[in-house]
């Protein structure tokens, strides 16, 4: 399994295809709600892809809001969901946050994925709320960021 930070429009289109398959086709999220102003290579957020045997099978992004990293649009194609791809995506996004000296990350996790995020060290920080017709909770985690002076 290999992780790549997205740097080209073609890689971004690959991530969009994965997101469309998972969120729009599988989960019924309206297409106009899935994509936003952060879906560009403009430095406002960082996107990653995960590959198995040179096939892109998962993606995610991280934005930086109020001094925290916000993990978003984390998804894995259905045939690859039991191979640890989601964990690799989360670790890659957390690594980007750590590189930027960000000490806290958060995400809106679908309630059906709460257990997955808890295993990765995330705590539930809110009651259930609806987002795109799907129940979610706010979850957060502190990161161990080392001083750049060390």
């Amino acid at each position: 399994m290999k992780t790549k930070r997205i740097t080209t429009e073609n890689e971004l289109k690959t991530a969009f295809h994965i997101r469309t398959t998972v969120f729009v086709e599988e989960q019924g999220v309206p297409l106009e709600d899935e994509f936003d102003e952060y879906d560009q290579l403009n430095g406002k957020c960082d996107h990653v892809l995960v590959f198995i045997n040179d096939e892109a099978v998962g993606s995610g992004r991280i934005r930086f809001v109020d001094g925290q990293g916000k993990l978003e649009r984390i998804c894995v194609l259905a045939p690859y969901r039991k191979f640890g791809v989601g964990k690799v995506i989360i670790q890659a996004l957390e690594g980007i946050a750590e590189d930027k000296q960000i000490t806290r990350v958060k995400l809106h996790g679908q309630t059906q994925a709460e257990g997955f995020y808890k295993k990765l060290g995330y705590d539930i920080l809110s009651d259930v709320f609806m987002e795109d017709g799907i129940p979610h909770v706010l979850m957060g985690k502190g990161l161990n960021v080392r001083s750049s002076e060390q």
Side-chain angles (χ1 to χ4, degrees), residues 1-2 51-57 80:
M1 207 172 320
K2 173 178 92 173
F51 295 84
I52 294 179
N53 299 328
D54 295 324
E55 181 181 354
V57 299
Y80 301 94

Side-chain angles (χ1 to χ4, degrees), residues 37-56:
E37 69 269 25
Y38 303 107
D39 287 322
Q40 303 174 48
L41 298 174
N42 59 10
K44 291 186 179 178
C45 69
D46 293 290
H47 304 261
V48 297
L49 284 170
V50 173
F51 295 84
I52 294 179
N53 299 328
D54 295 324
E55 181 181 354

Side-chain angles (χ1 to χ4, degrees), residues 9-26:
E9 289 295 333
N10 275 345
E11 291 167 346
L12 198 56
K13 285 179 187 173
T14 299
F16 293 170
H17 174 73
I18 294 169
R19 286 171 47 188
T20 299
T21 300
V22 173
F23 294 126
V24 178
E25 295 171 12
E26 279 182 40

Side-chain angles (χ1 to χ4, degrees), residues 100-117:
K100 296 182 186 237
Q101 300 295 301
I102 300 295
T103 59
R104 188 129 187 96
V105 290
K106 62 183 178 179
L107 56 86
H108 292 177
Q110 293 183 10
T111 55
Q112 54 89 14
E114 273 179 45
F116 165 74
Y117 292 117

